[in-house]
Amino acid sequence: MRLKVKKQCGDCIACCDGRLVLDIFGKRYSGRPCHYVGKTGCSIYKHRPKNPCRTFNCGWLKDEHFTYPEFLKPNKSGFILMDWKKTKTGIPFIIAVAAREGYNNDAFLWLIDYCGENNLNIEFIMSKTKHYIGSKEFKKEKSGKSNI
Ligand code: SF4
Ligand code: SF4
């Protein structure tokens, strides 16, 4: 039986810093940080809206079996892992959303190796551009071409 862990957001503010599209109190934030985010976190933490702030958990945070190491935490890796998904034909892939200023190359290589060893695929989004990494079938279905 694998040990379960409860991960914590702690000092991470990656999901508030502009790389995800947010709707906070009816105002849309896309490509820019939420108005309420400070250097140490949410300035209205007790009053933050339910959706998305209290309900969103990134893939790293939800991973209670510690598949993803500490360096994949979004404020360390520079990219947010989302939930696993499947293409229309059932090919599994994960979405990773990178920060505009870049990401940690070692963490990214770890993810590529992990997905390669497990026959999984990655949709990597950086500056709103999607890149597809993985099997030929996956890349063909998602974009019709291989661009990584
Ligand atoms: S990106 Fe993940 S770890 Fe970071 S604050 Fe958001 S939910 Fe927490
Ligand atoms: S309201 Fe707070 S928790 Fe929600 S996105 Fe803004 S800074 Fe983040």
Side-chain angles (χ1 to χ4, degrees):
M1 196 175 77
R2 294 180 72 189
L3 190 69
K4 280 190 177 182
V5 289
K6 181 88 183 106
K7 292 178 172 176
Q8 305 285 339
C9 293
D11 58 352
C12 181
I13 52 168
C15 51
C16 315
D17 72 359
R19 70 190 86 181
L20 301 183
V21 178
L22 302 170
D23 189 325
I24 306 296
F25 301 129
K27 196 162 180 181
R28 186 179 160 90
Y29 296 89
S30 175
R32 63 191 172 112
C34 171
H35 175 70
Y36 301 103
V37 70
K39 282 188 180 154
T40 54
C42 178
S43 60
I44 55 158
Y45 189 75
K46 281 189 182 166
H47 307 288
R48 70 198 190 286
K50 184 175 178 197
N51 189 25
C53 309
R54 294 171 193 262
T55 52
F56 177 78
N57 291 320
C58 72
W60 178 87
L61 187 69
K62 282 198 277 200
D63 163 36
E64 59 182 17
H65 292 298
F66 215 70
T67 302
Y68 305 135
E70 182 66 17
F71 59 75
L72 251 64
K73 187 171 184 177
N75 62 343
K76 294 179 179 151
S77 68
F79 52 83
I80 299 178
L81 291 174
M82 311 296 271
D83 289 327
W84 284 97
K85 290 178 175 287
K86 284 191 176 170
T87 64
K88 285 178 186 161
T89 62
I91 302 172
F93 70 101
I94 196 164
I95 297 176
V97 187
R100 258 177 313 178
E101 58 272 18
Y103 54 89
N104 180 302
N105 207 41
D106 289 342
F108 187 51
L109 290 176
W110 183 95
L111 182 66
I112 291 177
D113 280 351
Y114 172 78
C115 288
E117 284 165 10
N118 293 283
N119 294 319
L120 301 166
N121 303 280
I122 306 165
E123 180 176 304
F124 192 68
I125 304 174
M126 188 165 184
S127 300
K128 296 185 179 172
T129 301
K130 294 179 180 178
H131 304 276
Y132 303 109
I133 305 160
S135 69
K136 278 184 188 164
E137 295 75 19
F138 171 69
K139 288 187 271 198
K140 192 171 175 197
E141 183 172 346
K142 291 297 273 182
S143 69
K145 59 181 179 170
S146 59
N147 52 4
I148 283 187

